[in-house]
Amino acid sequence: MQHKVIDTKDVVIRFAGDSGDGMQLTGSLFADMSAIFGNELSTFPDYPAEIRAPHGTVSGVSGFQVHIGSEHITTPGDFCDLLVAMNPAALKANAKWLKRTAMVLIDSDTFDEDGLKRAGLKNDPIAELYIEDRTIIIAPITTLTEESLKDSGLDRKTVAKCKNMFTLGMACYIYNRPMEYIFQYLERKFGKKKPELIEPNKKVLKDGYNYAANIQAIPNTYNIEPAHQPKGLYRNITGNQATAWGLLAAAEKANLPLFCGSYPITPATGILEELAIHKSLGAKTLQAEDEIAGICTAIGAAFAGNLAVTTTSGPGLSLKSEALGLAVMTELPLVVVDVQRAGPSTGIPTKTEQTDLNQALYGRNGECPMVVMAAHSPAGCFDAAFNAAKIALEHMTPVLLLTEGFLGNGSEPWLIPSMKDYPKIVPPFVQPNTEFKPFRRDPETFVRKWAVPGMAGYEHRVGGLEKNHDGVLSSDPVNHATMVREREMKVQKVADFIPELEVNGPESGKLLVVGWGGTYGHLLSAVQEVRESGIDVSFAHFDYIMPLPRNTEDVLSKFDKILVCELNSGHFVNYLRGKFPQFDYKQFNKVQGQPFLVQEVVAAIKNVMSSEVETSKE
């Protein structure tokens, strides 16, 4: 077989195996290595939903997909060019994601009778899964790893854990990846506590590379050139990391300490963990005993003059709902980050969805308006968190920032910004020697002043009971109506301080594709693909949901139809219908705990456009 080296603009690799096979680490290392090499990339970790699912079963499969390229990458890819399947269950769970031209690398040592039975497969899984036309590379990876490390002095269990490094070495050969970064990672990880593991892992990585280079089963290898990116310092960052850093940046710009009171919950825990690392930057974190305690400690910190944050996912947001009302009533600055997951109840906790929007908009008792925002990419979580904190602090209001499991766990390259390029944050603290009435407002923005404990002469009460402008408890009907209206007006006035909605493509036409949150990359890719086929279509994506950008109605009015795409049953499209009922809305929804596929959205766009053509012919 003649070996070819093929230049390609992008490839998608999916690593899959049992939770103990190290596929998340393998995928992360491959992604970080590619980022350092200079490739654009997007990742999609796909965790099993069950804790300690039975070994070798489909429910226990853990996957990590990475899309690398020499051009701008906006999604982790629909289908993969290489699937690494460490056992039969991984092959069965992921065969549907194979391209027709895909390569499959399997560990033949795990494809015994017991392994096939656990996965629900029979004697010939390749035929049973209808993948005979793919390039199948069958390698005894477990045996080869044991042979590689037979003289290492490591026990058998530790040796078994190194087989992911063997497969990573093979992937490095197939895609011409430099391994120096992985060597540095191993030295950092094991240098202090387990230095005896450094050389064995390096050896098995190199042996995997050399094995792939010497066997004749791999017909081609691939070059993916570095992308042409703006100059600067980059790093590969997850959405949860970016959210934490955006909050830290906001605290610095506001010259305030940051306090995060949270209860651990998948997939939001990473934000709390990341903030806990940065005590040197003034961050204070509290792992509370429950969700209610988490938000209540944050409200207390806001009263005390902190940038206050609490993080959660859908079930936790439900538990926080009463305290959210308290934050609205006290008019204290608070950032609530909801990393959405599939529900209801516990649902599928490791899978992504956008099914908390209705709860974010309406999930509180009484007239209880809140600012609602959404991040649109892993790196974009930095700006989203920064802006959420800026609005909360400058407008004395809680802000609910929606991200998603896909964003929180996924990663992409991020150009590390300079803090001088970010605006100052100026909280409306009451000035010394001025009159202070706790709920007397700015006549333009309806924002009240902020007085914190320790400011002599500015003592006041806050709490869940209604008060008048002087801060005195009041059940007067007229006063209550006034305060309800003013709290609503304060939220609506935020629209004067956020960017207007932008349209990607023609400013008017037959169809506008609309999305919000983490669907951005998939929708943008789909719109671009449809345009390349000769169909004019435009795209608008919402980062701000309550209030909507000021020009929203004007933008929507210039299109015959509006196709709203979201990972729920229609929360945002129904919200738009309530705001602007005069427009013709279509919707494309997916509730499977998985992101959109670009091809799904392309088909939805073309279906709407074809019905437009048929209608015009009639």
Side-chain angles (χ1 to χ4, degrees):
M1 183 180 297
Q2 185 176 0
H3 175 76
K4 295 180 181 178
V5 179
I6 299 174
D7 292 319
T8 186
K9 66 177 184 179
D10 71 312
V11 294
V12 178
I13 304 100
R14 191 173 182 93
F15 300 91
D18 257 323
S19 292
D21 286 336
M23 293 296 96
Q24 299 298 325
L25 174 61
T26 306
S28 296
L29 287 172
F30 192 92
D32 289 348
M33 172 176 51
S34 298
I36 290 174
F37 184 70
N39 293 127
E40 279 271 351
L41 65 89
S42 176
T43 72
F44 175 42
D46 194 8
Y47 302 98
E50 298 180 28
I51 299 174
R52 298 189 182 277
H55 180 79
T57 61
V58 172
S59 61
V61 172
S62 178
F64 190 103
Q65 186 159 304
V66 55
H67 185 187
I68 62 173
S70 58
E71 299 177 356
H72 187 47
I73 299 294
T74 59
T75 78
D78 286 2
F79 301 96
C80 61
D81 297 281
L82 172 67
L83 170 63
V84 176
M86 299 300 288
N87 61 20
L91 181 63
K92 182 179 181 180
N94 293 283
K96 60 186 176 182
W97 303 119
L98 292 170
K99 292 180 181 178
R100 286 292 176 186
T101 56
M103 192 184 307
V104 184
L105 170 59
I106 66 175
D107 181 3
S108 59
D109 290 326
T110 64
F111 279 69
D112 54 16
E113 183 178 353
D114 183 57
L116 293 171
K117 182 179 179 181
R118 284 174 175 268
L121 293 168
K122 298 178 181 178
N123 295 328
D124 188 355
I126 306 301
E128 188 175 344
L129 296 171
Y130 304 103
I131 56 174
E132 304 100 316
D133 55 342
R134 275 57 164 202
T135 301
I136 311 295
I137 304 168
I138 302 173
I141 293 171
T142 301
T143 299
L144 291 168
T145 301
E146 292 172 350
E147 180 66 22
S148 173
L149 299 180
K150 65 181 181 181
D151 298 324
S152 65
L154 300 177
D155 62 84
R156 188 170 182 177
K157 185 177 180 180
T158 303
V159 168
K161 289 183 177 180
C162 294
K163 62 183 180 182
N164 65 324
M165 286 295 160
F166 194 94
T167 60
L168 182 58
M170 294 184 71
C172 287
Y173 169 76
I174 295 169
Y175 295 107
N176 289 309
R177 301 284 93 182
M179 294 187 290
E180 287 77 9
Y181 166 78
I182 304 173
F183 294 157
Q184 294 170 8
Y185 166 82
L186 294 170
E187 289 166 1
R188 290 195 308 271
K189 180 176 178 63
F190 299 120
K192 292 184 179 180
K193 294 184 178 181
K194 296 182 178 180
E196 69 276 8
L197 295 180
I198 296 175
E199 290 307 317
N201 275 281
K202 285 184 178 181
K203 182 178 187 303
V204 77
L205 181 74
K206 289 185 285 188
D207 285 351
Y209 186 98
N210 292 330
Y211 176 79
N214 290 325
I215 62 173
Q216 299 299 311
I218 299 176
N220 305 315
T221 56
Y222 301 86
N223 283 328
I224 306 96
E225 292 298 319
H228 298 289
Q229 299 169 321
K231 290 184 178 180
L233 182 62
Y234 288 80
R235 64 154 290 156
N236 191 32
I237 195 168
T238 68
N240 280 344
Q241 288 175 318
T243 299
W245 292 7
L247 294 168
L248 289 166
E252 178 183 323
K253 282 293 185 177
N255 195 30
L256 293 176
L258 184 149
F259 176 89
C260 179
S262 291
Y263 181 74
I265 182 171
T266 300
T269 308
I271 303 172
L272 176 63
E273 292 173 335
E274 184 66 28
L275 288 173
I277 296 172
H278 299 292
K279 295 181 178 65
S280 63
L281 299 178
K284 293 172 286 187
T285 55
L286 173 67
Q287 180 176 319
E289 65 267 30
D290 56 40
E291 294 283 1
I292 298 171
I295 187 171
C296 287
T297 57
I299 292 172
F303 179 67
N306 291 256
L307 168 53
V309 178
T310 188
T311 58
T312 191
S313 191
L317 187 62
S318 300
L319 291 166
K320 294 180 189 292
S321 60
E322 183 180 0
L324 287 172
L326 177 62
V328 170
M329 181 63 90
T330 57
E331 300 188 50
L332 287 168
L334 173 70
V335 178
V336 182
V337 184
D338 174 17
V339 188
Q340 299 169 93
R341 73 191 207 190
S345 186
T346 307
I348 316 178
T350 61
K351 307 303 181 182
T352 194
E353 277 180 2
Q354 294 182 309
T355 44
D356 292 351
L357 181 56
N358 280 342
Q359 184 177 202
L361 290 169
Y362 311 117
R364 296 166 294 282
N365 70 295
E367 298 293 338
C368 196
M370 280 181 57
V371 176
V372 179
M373 298 172 52
H376 66 257
S377 69
C381 287
F382 180 90
D383 283 350
F386 182 92
N387 292 330
K390 180 176 171 65
I391 290 171
L393 290 168
E394 294 186 340
H395 294 266
M396 293 294 289
T397 183
V399 175
L400 210 164
L401 173 60
L402 296 171
T403 74
E404 301 150 38
F406 168 66
L407 299 182
N409 294 322
S411 67
E412 64 182 352
W414 177 55
L415 175 60
I416 299 175
S418 172
M419 286 305 297
K420 66 179 177 59
D421 296 329
Y422 281 75
K424 289 184 178 179
I425 297 176
V426 185
F429 286 114
V430 63
Q431 297 302 309
N433 303 315
T434 60
E435 183 184 19
F436 173 64
K437 300 295 183 182
F439 295 100
R440 184 173 294 175
R441 307 169 188 283
D442 181 280
E444 295 295 326
T445 63
F446 293 89
V447 175
R448 78 175 186 92
K449 294 295 184 181
W450 193 6
V452 301
M455 299 178 69
Y458 297 102
E459 297 85 356
H460 65 288
R461 290 186 297 176
V462 296
L465 289 171
E466 186 69 277
K467 299 173 183 65
N468 61 23
H469 289 150
D470 293 339
V472 178
L473 296 180
S474 172
S475 58
D476 178 74
V478 175
N479 176 74
H480 177 55
T482 298
M483 299 299 277
V484 165
R485 179 182 63 84
E486 289 180 350
R487 286 190 289 264
E488 172 67 25
M489 288 300 297
K490 180 173 66 170
V491 170
Q492 294 301 329
K493 283 289 185 179
V494 170
D496 295 337
F497 299 86
I498 62 177
E500 292 196 336
L501 184 64
E502 295 183 357
V503 176
N504 182 303
E507 296 289 329
S508 61
K510 292 185 176 181
L511 181 65
L512 176 69
V513 175
V514 164
W516 67 275
T519 60
Y520 172 79
H522 298 84
L523 300 186
L524 178 61
S525 295
V527 166
Q528 291 172 339
E529 185 172 328
V530 170
R531 284 182 191 149
E532 289 171 1
S533 70
I535 301 174
D536 282 337
V537 61
S538 299
F539 173 48
H541 203 78
F542 285 82
D543 291 338
Y544 296 89
I545 297 173
M546 171 62 80
L548 291 164
R550 290 178 300 177
N551 66 329
T552 298
E553 183 174 12
D554 181 58
V555 168
L556 300 182
S557 69
K558 295 177 181 177
F559 294 88
D560 297 340
K561 294 184 179 181
I562 300 155
L563 175 62
V564 183
C565 305
E566 47 187 328
L567 299 176
N568 56 45
S569 59
H571 297 198
F572 190 58
V573 70
N574 288 330
Y575 177 63
L576 290 177
R577 285 184 178 123
K579 293 284 187 181
F580 313 110
Q582 67 271 35
F583 302 127
D584 185 4
Y585 298 98
K586 307 296 179 184
Q587 61 190 86
F588 177 58
N589 303 102
K590 181 177 181 178
V591 192
Q592 299 178 11
Q594 295 289 321
F596 281 129
L597 301 180
V598 173
Q599 292 308 309
E600 292 174 335
V601 182
V602 168
I605 294 172
K606 289 184 175 179
N607 284 341
V608 172
M609 293 300 287
S610 64
S611 66
E612 175 72 25
V613 172
E614 291 169 5
T615 302
S616 64
K617 286 180 180 179
E618 292 173 0

